[in-house]
Amino acid sequence: MSPLFTVEEGEVIMDLEGQMEVFLRGTAEVISPEELKEKLVRADREGRPLRIKLGVDPSAPDIHLGHTVPLRKMRQLQELGHQIIFLVGDFTGRIGDPTGRSETRKQLSEEQIKENAKSYTAQVFKILDPEKTVVEYNSHWLALLTFAEVVQLAAKTTVARMLERDDFAKRFAENRPIGVHEFFYPLMQGYDSVALRADVEMGGTDQKFNLLMGRQLQRDYGQEPQICLMLPILEGIDGVQKMSKSLGNHIGIDDPPADMYGKTMAIPDELMLKYFELVTDVPMAEIRSLAEGIKEGKVHPRDAKMRLAREIVTLYHGAQAAAEAEEAFKAVFQQGELPEDIPEVKLPPEVIDEDGRVWIVRLLTALELCASSSEARRLIGQGAVSIDNVRQTDPELRVKPHPGLLVRVGKRRFARVE
């Protein structure tokens, strides 16, 4: 029996087409499917798994569902018996990926990177099997390169090639500064693939330039070029922007079950099927059937979204927590009840003005209902904030606080003034 085309659980043989279906599920672009098929056949003949790489710079300590899209793909391929390499960019993280940046990214200290990496890897193993995952750090080879070797690496591409990147080209045209060190980022990411002899590298569609650099450098170093497996960018619960903690449109994998459930219920209906495909284990045949049911009016979008919320909460907190979160959601949002466990928060004296009032933006951040003043202003402008059950839309409002003052943001976030 072939060691590659076998799934361990139940010893179920999976043929080449079955593997290709798993590889291609939810992908936005693959360079190239034909090469991937050839690699699978050759690896099977040689009795070895493919070496599949995902690199992550620990620029922030928290993982949200947007981050899990490639991680979940890695888990699917891990279950097929392939060698999964989770690469922590502790060296590249010192520069920071310039992809999509309109200005030079602030460099992180070594201490920040180590702390973020520790938190990040702990969360990653909520998705990946730690027993079957190789964790590497790219400082192990990048930090050892001599200056002569760095020059040799830089000589393998041109400034013109670097300026093909949209972000660099735009900054150059607008006369915005581009640090020379930023040109080294795609070279370092590409060299990671050389050092690891990667068969496949995974990343978001925004990583295409960096992934292709890996293919180019592998050829230059006499290796067979890797397959670039690109996954779509997941929009946040606002349905517009890329999921991001700074935008307040994220669903964190460490969010409490009730928050995770409620946030999922807030996503636009048109994003449901994308979420089903990218962040759940629901089989594609079932997702297609669900889509058809919604289209024909046989399945209510609300019921489909509740199924989605249950699936997501179950993945990270278990079935019982998902059931409890659903009951709490029904009580609050379908029956008009308030949650029983509304947190009571004492306002710090410094947020209160001389006349005993507090600026509504500071009130929301002090109660930890908004992560930033900009998020608070945005939600107030959207009419998502109410105080003592009265909707507020003026971001300059001064509120007279009193014990028991009820503040609500959106459909899920509540707090009372202690």
Side-chain angles (χ1 to χ4, degrees), residues 269-285:
D269 291 352
E270 58 269 21
L271 271 183
M272 269 195 297
L273 298 175
K274 185 174 185 178
Y275 270 64
F276 266 114
E277 183 175 6
L278 297 179
V279 300
T280 80
D281 291 326
V282 177
M284 283 305 300

Side-chain angles (χ1 to χ4, degrees), residues 297-313:
K298 296 177 181 178
V299 177
H300 196 289
R302 179 200 59 231
D303 297 334
K305 202 180 294 184
M306 291 177 75
R307 163 81 186 279
L308 174 63
R310 285 197 306 273
E311 293 283 347
I312 292 173
V313 177

Side-chain angles (χ1 to χ4, degrees), residues 164-237:
E164 289 175 7
R165 286 182 51 142
D166 290 341
D167 40 23
F168 285 155
K170 185 176 181 180
R171 284 160 64 182
F172 184 75
E174 295 175 352
N175 202 27
R176 290 175 177 267
I178 303 172
V180 173
H181 68 290
E182 294 182 89
F183 282 164
F184 279 95
Y185 188 94
L187 283 169
M188 290 191 294
Q189 182 172 329
Y191 190 80
D192 289 342
S193 294
V194 174
L196 293 170
R197 304 189 73 88
D199 291 306
V200 179
E201 182 173 12
M202 198 172 298
T205 50
D206 58 347
Q207 290 292 307
K208 185 173 182 177
F209 185 94
N210 295 344
L211 270 59
L212 289 174
M213 183 63 72
R215 279 174 65 89
Q216 175 190 326
L217 291 181
Q218 283 180 312
R219 287 193 193 96
D220 291 340
Y221 283 91
Q223 297 180 15
E224 183 178 283
Q226 66 187 10
I227 304 301
C228 301
L229 202 67
M230 286 163 277
L231 295 150
I233 303 300
L234 187 69
E235 295 89 350
I237 60 177

